[in-house]
Amino acid sequence: MCRLFALTSQEPVSPMQAIKALDVMREGHDGSGVGLFLSGLSGPFEDLKDCPVLSGIFTTPGIRRLDQFMMDHDFMTKYKTSTRLSEDPPTGTPKRDVYLARAYEKPEAWKHLSPEKQEEEMVRIRLQLRRMGEANNDMTVFSFWPDTIMIKELGDPLAVGNYLQLDRKEFDARVVLAQGRQNTNYAINLYACHPFFIQGICTMTNGENTAFLPIREFLESSNILGYEGYQSDSEVFTHILHFTLKRLGLDIDAYKHIITPLKDRDLNNHPDGPFLKQLKETCRKLIIDGPNCIIGCLPDKSLFMVQDSKKLRPGVVGGRPGMYAFSSEVCGLDAVLPDRDVTKDIQPMHLDTVIVPPTRQEIRICRQTDPLHLQH
Amino acid sequence: MSPNRPITPSTLSPKDLPWQIDWNKSKCTLCGQCTTVCPVKAIELGVFRKRKVKTPIGLMTPPENEYSIFYGIRQKTDPAFSCIGCGMCSMVCPNGAIMPRRNDEKDKLCFHKNAGGKPRTRGGRRNDNDSLLDRIKFIRISMLTDPALDAGRHEFDLRTLLGRVLPPEEGLKTFREQGWAPPVREIYPLIIGGMSFGALSPNMWEGLQMGVAYLNEEMGMPVRICTGEGGCPPRLLRSRFLKYVILQVASGYFGWDEIIHALPHMKEDPCAIEIKYGQGAKPGDGGLLMWHKVNKLIAAIRGVPAGVSLPSPPTHQTQYSIEESVAKMIQSMSMAWGFRVPVYPKISASSTSLAVLNNLTRNPYASGLAIDGEDGGTGAAYNVSMNHMGHPIASNIRDAYLNLARLGKQNEIPIFAGGGVGKNGNLAANAAALIMLGASGIQIGKYIMQAAAGCLGSESDRCNVCNIGVCPKGITSQDPRIYRRLDPEKVAERVVETYLSFDTELKKIIAPLGRSTSLPIGMSDALGINDKAAADRLSIKYVV
Ligand code: SF4
Ligand code: SF4
């Protein structure tokens, strides 16, 4: 099963920290790939908070097509990272022409658009690029969003991290999500690598989502921009969260009520019982069924973790004010935060959503049996 | 044979009949039990002459014929009385002296079962053993990341929704604004489908109702039973058990008066109202309760004279079109119960099922759709309708589900599948296959008659006399002399046993798929079939 590690820190940290944690947990992943989500960027990106950052992998012709496309759409490059990679990629990693993280200034025409419209436009651009890439096999775009860099590559996480020189200052981030991949797909597909991202919402999972197919059918048929191209059975978790927050206007503590609703007898005793029953009923098609641990990041940079009741071994959350980490194994946590107070570690059980808010001062647990946080 | 022996074109020999009686002279004590019990009077007491050649010792006296008579059992060969193979005779014979045996060749009776120019009607089944559902396999066993679930130890939530489920955004909006939301019931996905009080004997009905009540109140399984057309005993209408009952109204409106009049006295709302437009047994044909079964009680409940045949028309004649029906009838039924009761139509699976479904998706009051495949049905029907009309259920349900999925409305209009579920005994497997193809729940009729009451019918034209009120087991007869054979308590017990074992089997299927908190509706990635054409048609995996 994939190994997961996430960090949230007041001071920007190198993503290599998270990769180190993955390396400690290497028993649990086959080194067939790594996925990284970086947000709360520092360094050069810090001052470009409003600029959407494009991240992905390109071939040389691909980058030319990208430039043309972005120019046509009136985007101006504000900053880009460039890396001179050593000749030979590590074993298992294909040779690529360009890894890209480039911040753009938004087109003039967007000035008049509402923030929502702008968000929509960014998704549209990313989808267009994805389709272009799929047609010519020359670009793989992971994200196009302000303050966000995503990197996914095949190969052993540590080797890939070193090869891509991720310890450079420009990659330091306050939020890091990292996945060491246990490949269970037949063909290794970069897009199927966690974490998944849509409009500031990012999650990664380990486990198996046996309800994938009906959920995918539902999401695809809902006509929501971006709900397409599913390559992994857990990709839908991100979109369910997106649906919960953006479409239903609910808070993160409702997420668990959607994916793993309470039993009826618990709902009957719940202070928000009638609402939750309604939620369970109308969102029944979004119930995930299978052992899953989900770690994710919200648009406000909160980190959270939830699990299905079938998950036999829960993930663990620990740290100290200012820096918290989420890990699928305790040893990962030990590697990055050895000096934390381990007695304060939390292993969320099947009713819990563990949240570290953007202030990073505490771990908040919301139990499914508690009143809902946000009710309008 | 004497030349003036009346041999007509319809004179058949026992060899021409589908069933032949093996009678063992040396075991038989002539107790007469078999002839008494035979529902179709296929056997009678016969007088036989026996010749014995007597050869005395010596050469002087020549051998002689000695004639004697003896009594025995004779099989009638008149097509009207042909043996139906029910085997009741063998069940009552104290000496094991009699047994029906199936003809080893195609019978000739089928050419003659139209005496008086009336085509054959019968009750029972389509008489085709083939079932596509039986060939579907569950190929997804979750072994990838975590071990599969344990059907015996994990907690499972095997429920489904009956009623129109609003899409998430609309549902929450309605909730916040305290608007009207369509009624939704959470029920067990295996429903006892419409078999009327009229078609079934009072004992059978009582047994089923008792079993259902027990399942609900003692076992915590929200099992529902549909009445079929023909009303509901007044006592049940006014009882708290009504909430376990789906009331059916069909084009004959039989018994509907009684229901309307009971409305003010109802302590509970019924679970739902099913409007029957079509049924699997006789697609395009109405209901048919033959005069044999219309006794005083049935006549009273249905508000008709006793002893007349009661065909309901295939169409709802007060309505102009299905669209109008959907609009008017569903709405007026909903209104009758203050919009608290789900109302949905039942149609026979056909190439126009999708059109009906499309209509329903646009009707906010429509609560679901029951589709009955060609194998459906228990009641009387013309042989030709039963055997040759309609559409099999698997592909029909699949089309309907995929159509809803395209509209983004899957599970908003729950689809209930019936027809041939468990016809070869594989109830849980067939039901699970249909659920994974997209059904929200399953309706059964014949299966429960067979399991709970020991119906003798089989898929090879055995018994099938349900329509003429002589059911040898007392399941489908309105004759007290016959139906007292059936003990309602025992039927109830068997209903409960059937459901409990179904529940275990269903868990055994879905646990390895990794599902426990929601029914795997539409989880077609778990299905495979070893027929390329079927796999393509159903959009499931082709496995060999
Ligand atoms: S099998 Fe049934 S129908 Fe045939 S003789 Fe025996 S009792 Fe009569
Ligand atoms: S046993 Fe009764 S219900 Fe069953 S087929 Fe025979 S007549 Fe019909």
Side-chain angles (χ1 to χ4, degrees):
Chain A
M1 197 182 312
C2 301
R3 292 302 185 252
L4 311 175
F5 192 85
L7 252 178
T8 173
S9 163
Q10 210 81 310
E11 294 309 313
V13 290
S14 162
M16 285 310 280
Q17 293 266 16
I19 290 188
K20 266 181 212 129
L22 292 180
D23 199 51
V24 176
M25 303 188 279
R26 65 161 52 250
E27 249 172 52
H29 62 81
D30 60 5
S32 63
V34 57
L36 277 174
F37 163 83
L38 310 174
S39 187
L41 301 172
S42 70
F45 289 103
E46 178 118 48
D47 309 322
L48 303 167
K49 282 271 182 268
D50 267 353
C51 300
V53 181
L54 183 75
S55 49
I57 305 177
F58 296 80
T59 64
T60 314
I63 200 100
R64 258 183 255 123
R65 284 214 302 148
L66 170 76
D67 287 342
Q68 191 59 50
F69 176 88
M70 295 308 271
M71 247 152 60
D72 291 349
H73 286 76
D74 195 24
F75 282 98
M76 204 177 73
T77 307
K78 293 283 277 193
Y79 179 79
K80 66 172 184 212
T81 63
S82 37
T83 323
R84 189 169 300 277
L85 296 175
S86 64
E87 275 301 307
D88 299 312
T91 347
T93 308
K95 193 152 173 47
R96 316 271 191 191
D97 294 345
V98 186
Y99 293 87
L100 190 79
R102 187 185 278 179
Y104 289 97
E105 188 167 297
K106 290 177 191 166
E108 272 298 305
W110 284 23
K111 289 246 154 64
H112 313 289
L113 297 182
S114 66
E116 289 77 38
K117 270 269 164 272
Q118 294 194 13
E119 294 187 352
E120 215 180 291
E121 283 308 313
M122 284 189 274
V123 175
R124 196 161 284 134
I125 297 269
R126 181 172 69 89
L127 292 174
Q128 272 174 15
L129 289 171
R130 176 172 176 161
R131 272 182 225 122
M132 282 168 65
E134 275 165 353
N136 285 26
N137 223 351
D138 57 358
M139 19 175 140
T140 312
V141 177
F142 302 122
S143 61
F144 181 58
W145 197 257
D147 193 22
T148 301
I149 293 179
M150 291 189 80
I151 299 166
K152 297 178 181 183
E153 190 45 281
L154 312 178
D156 179 69
L158 192 60
V160 169
N162 286 328
Y163 171 65
L164 297 180
Q165 301 156 34
L166 294 182
D167 50 1
R168 276 174 296 147
K169 273 270 161 282
E170 49 205 328
F171 288 121
D172 284 2
R174 294 176 182 88
V175 172
V176 181
L177 263 63
Q179 181 234 23
R181 178 176 184 183
Q182 176 76 31
N183 188 49
T184 48
N185 292 332
Y186 315 100
I188 296 183
N189 180 335
L190 265 184
Y191 277 122
C193 199
H194 308 235
F196 301 106
F197 179 81
I198 181 167
Q199 291 194 330
I201 293 162
C202 181
T203 77
M204 56 188 181
T205 319
N206 67 5
E208 183 178 6
N209 175 15
T210 53
F212 168 66
L213 193 89
I215 297 180
R216 184 190 70 185
E217 278 172 0
F218 171 72
L219 291 173
E220 281 178 338
S221 61
S222 67
N223 278 327
I224 292 174
L225 190 67
Y227 289 8
E228 61 173 82
Y230 297 98
Q231 302 279 1
S232 155
D233 69 359
S234 55
E235 200 168 354
V236 298
F237 294 139
T238 312
H239 291 178
I240 298 174
L241 180 58
H242 180 267
F243 192 83
T244 310
L245 303 179
K246 303 261 176 174
R247 272 293 159 139
L248 303 183
L250 297 171
D251 207 15
I252 176 67
D253 47 3
Y255 183 49
K256 194 147 186 0
H257 284 286
I258 290 179
I259 54 174
T260 61
L262 286 174
K263 297 245 167 339
D264 286 354
R265 54 168 186 269
D266 295 326
L267 285 180
N268 290 336
N269 299 324
H270 197 285
D272 295 312
F275 173 76
L276 291 175
K277 266 192 188 157
Q278 179 69 25
L279 196 64
K280 177 177 179 180
E281 200 175 284
T282 57
C283 295
R284 187 171 281 232
K285 41 207 148 200
L286 296 175
I287 295 178
I288 65 166
D289 220 338
N292 283 289
C293 171
I294 304 170
I295 296 176
C297 175
L298 304 177
D300 71 353
K301 311 280 186 268
S302 308
L303 285 197
F304 73 92
M305 176 192 275
V306 291
Q307 28 227 340
D308 194 274
S309 65
K310 282 164 239 157
K311 190 82 184 166
L312 297 178
R313 190 179 56 201
V316 53
V317 184
R320 54 175 181 271
M323 183 164 180
Y324 286 97
F326 295 58
S327 179
S328 57
E329 313 294 311
V330 182
C331 61
L333 209 55
D334 290 343
V336 175
L337 285 156
D339 52 347
R340 75 192 189 283
D341 181 355
V342 291
T343 60
K344 298 220 167 91
D345 283 0
I346 288 167
Q347 297 203 313
M349 298 315 284
H350 73 281
L351 293 175
D352 301 336
T353 304
V354 174
I355 301 163
V356 173
T359 50
R360 305 182 179 93
Q361 292 307 308
E362 48 161 10
I363 302 178
R364 187 160 79 77
I365 297 182
C366 76
R367 300 215 97 207
Q368 250 177 302
T369 41
D370 293 343
L372 273 193
H373 181 56
L374 179 109
Q375 270 290 296
H376 349 239
Chain B
M1 192 180 286
S2 67
N4 65 348
R5 183 88 194 252
I7 295 187
T8 68
S10 276
T11 310
L12 300 175
S13 80
K15 183 65 186 157
D16 300 316
L17 300 177
W19 296 90
Q20 284 132 30
I21 300 295
D22 275 351
W23 171 69
N24 188 327
K25 173 178 175 255
S26 53
K27 283 187 184 169
C28 180
T29 57
L30 298 179
C31 69
Q33 304 246 29
C34 56
T35 48
T36 316
V37 82
C38 178
V40 292
K41 313 219 177 324
I43 42 177
E44 59 190 351
L45 205 61
V47 183
F48 301 86
R49 198 157 85 122
K50 186 174 172 185
R51 166 181 163 239
K52 203 169 158 193
V53 183
K54 263 187 129 182
T55 40
I57 298 171
L59 299 169
M60 304 309 292
T61 8
E64 273 180 356
N65 284 328
E66 190 183 276
Y67 295 97
S68 60
I69 57 164
F70 69 95
Y71 304 99
I73 304 292
R74 189 200 312 274
Q75 177 175 9
K76 292 188 200 163
T77 54
D78 181 341
F81 299 100
S82 60
C83 171
I84 53 173
C86 67
M88 284 303 283
C89 44
S90 65
M91 276 182 238
V92 295
C93 178
N95 305 310
I98 191 164
M99 170 83 89
R101 181 167 39 83
R102 184 174 280 286
N103 197 342
D104 59 5
E105 61 171 45
K106 185 82 192 83
D107 66 85
K108 314 287 182 307
L109 181 66
C110 51
F111 301 109
H112 298 275
K113 278 214 160 172
N114 49 11
K118 283 209 190 88
R120 182 183 176 204
T121 54
R122 59 180 164 88
R125 23 196 60 72
R126 194 167 145 255
N127 295 334
D128 178 358
N129 282 298
D130 202 31
S131 164
L132 181 97
L133 294 175
D134 281 338
R135 282 155 56 202
I136 296 180
K137 298 200 72 167
F138 308 106
I139 53 168
R140 178 168 177 158
I141 311 265
S142 175
M143 289 183 290
L144 192 56
T145 50
D146 282 62
L149 293 170
D150 186 327
R153 288 178 186 79
H154 278 92
E155 220 182 315
F156 287 80
D157 205 0
L158 304 180
R159 308 233 177 137
T160 197
L161 298 180
L162 165 58
R164 192 193 188 89
V165 179
L166 292 177
E169 293 156 278
E170 214 180 305
L172 296 190
K173 185 165 171 277
T174 309
F175 181 84
R176 284 196 192 107
E177 294 168 359
Q178 310 225 320
W180 175 80
V184 177
R185 310 273 198 246
E186 195 167 34
I187 64 170
Y188 197 75
L190 188 70
I191 299 170
I192 300 181
M195 293 181 286
S196 69
F197 190 84
L200 298 182
S201 70
N203 284 15
M204 181 62 184
W205 234 66
E206 194 182 344
L208 292 178
Q209 296 287 352
M210 277 197 290
V212 167
Y214 188 91
L215 283 164
N216 276 281
E217 302 191 348
E218 297 297 323
M219 307 311 297
M221 288 166 79
V223 173
R224 299 293 179 262
I225 178 170
C226 179
T227 58
E229 181 186 33
C232 195
R235 201 157 54 105
L236 181 57
L237 287 172
R238 291 167 174 80
S239 78
R240 68 188 164 89
F241 301 111
L242 188 62
K243 57 178 182 278
Y244 310 137
V245 175
I246 298 170
L247 294 175
Q248 193 187 76
V249 54
S251 48
Y253 294 88
F254 292 124
W256 197 248
D257 262 12
E258 187 76 50
I259 293 175
I260 303 286
H261 290 141
L263 255 169
H265 311 288
M266 285 182 187
K267 287 193 199 60
E268 300 269 1
D269 287 336
C271 169
I273 308 296
E274 181 175 276
I275 307 170
K276 192 200 78 182
Y277 291 94
Q279 49 189 322
K282 39 195 158 179
D285 215 346
L288 176 57
L289 189 69
M290 298 178 73
W291 64 267
H292 314 261
K293 294 168 78 169
V294 185
N295 66 6
K296 265 201 195 139
L297 175 66
I298 299 306
I301 287 180
R302 296 198 171 194
V304 293
V308 295
S309 286
L310 300 180
S312 354
T315 55
H316 280 258
Q317 306 203 330
T318 48
Q319 269 133 37
Y320 171 66
S321 66
I322 184 90
E323 294 91 338
E324 181 189 318
S325 213
V326 161
K328 266 194 196 159
M329 196 142 169
I330 294 183
Q331 208 166 338
S332 54
M333 293 295 155
S334 303
M335 207 182 315
W337 275 274
F339 295 94
R340 298 183 310 267
V341 175
V343 181
Y344 65 91
K346 169 178 170 165
I347 56 168
S348 40
S350 71
S351 57
T352 52
S353 304
L354 276 186
V356 178
L357 182 64
N358 283 336
N359 264 309
L360 295 180
T361 56
R362 290 186 290 269
N363 182 330
Y365 301 109
S367 304
L369 178 64
I371 304 181
D372 203 2
E374 59 173 355
D375 269 292
T378 53
Y382 282 89
N383 200 39
V384 69
S385 306
M386 215 181 287
N387 287 350
H388 303 286
M389 307 276 297
H391 195 311
I393 191 64
S395 52
N396 213 254
I397 281 288
R398 190 71 182 137
D399 291 350
Y401 176 79
L402 290 178
N403 190 51
L404 286 180
R406 265 189 295 277
L407 297 173
K409 286 186 185 295
Q410 61 270 46
N411 306 346
E412 281 175 25
I413 294 266
I415 313 170
F416 291 85
V421 190
K423 74 191 271 193
N424 293 320
N426 309 312
L427 179 62
N430 291 176
L434 281 168
I435 288 172
M436 289 180 216
L437 287 173
S440 283
I442 305 301
Q443 293 187 337
I444 48 165
K446 280 181 304 197
Y447 187 92
I448 202 73
M449 300 208 304
Q450 216 144 355
C455 160
L456 301 164
S458 74
E459 296 297 334
S460 32
D461 206 359
R462 187 176 162 197
C463 205
N464 289 345
V465 285
C466 330
N467 54 331
I468 49 174
V470 293
C471 170
K473 282 296 198 88
I475 305 166
T476 54
S477 165
Q478 297 299 343
D479 185 341
R481 289 170 305 177
I482 297 179
Y483 68 66
R484 68 175 173 232
R485 289 174 190 174
L486 196 65
D487 180 349
E489 302 272 350
K490 291 259 158 40
V491 171
E493 233 173 273
R494 287 291 303 142
V495 169
V496 173
E497 285 167 352
T498 305
Y499 267 88
L500 293 183
S501 64
F502 171 84
D503 196 61
T504 303
E505 285 198 340
L506 192 62
K507 284 178 196 163
K508 288 282 174 195
I509 294 169
I510 70 168
L513 308 177
R515 299 297 291 264
S516 69
T517 42
S518 62
L519 269 194
I521 300 170
M523 190 181 169
S524 55
D525 51 336
L527 300 179
I529 191 164
N530 63 354
D531 178 321
K532 185 75 175 78
D536 291 347
R537 180 69 179 77
L538 299 175
S539 317
I540 60 176
K541 280 211 186 69
Y542 169 51
V543 290
V544 275

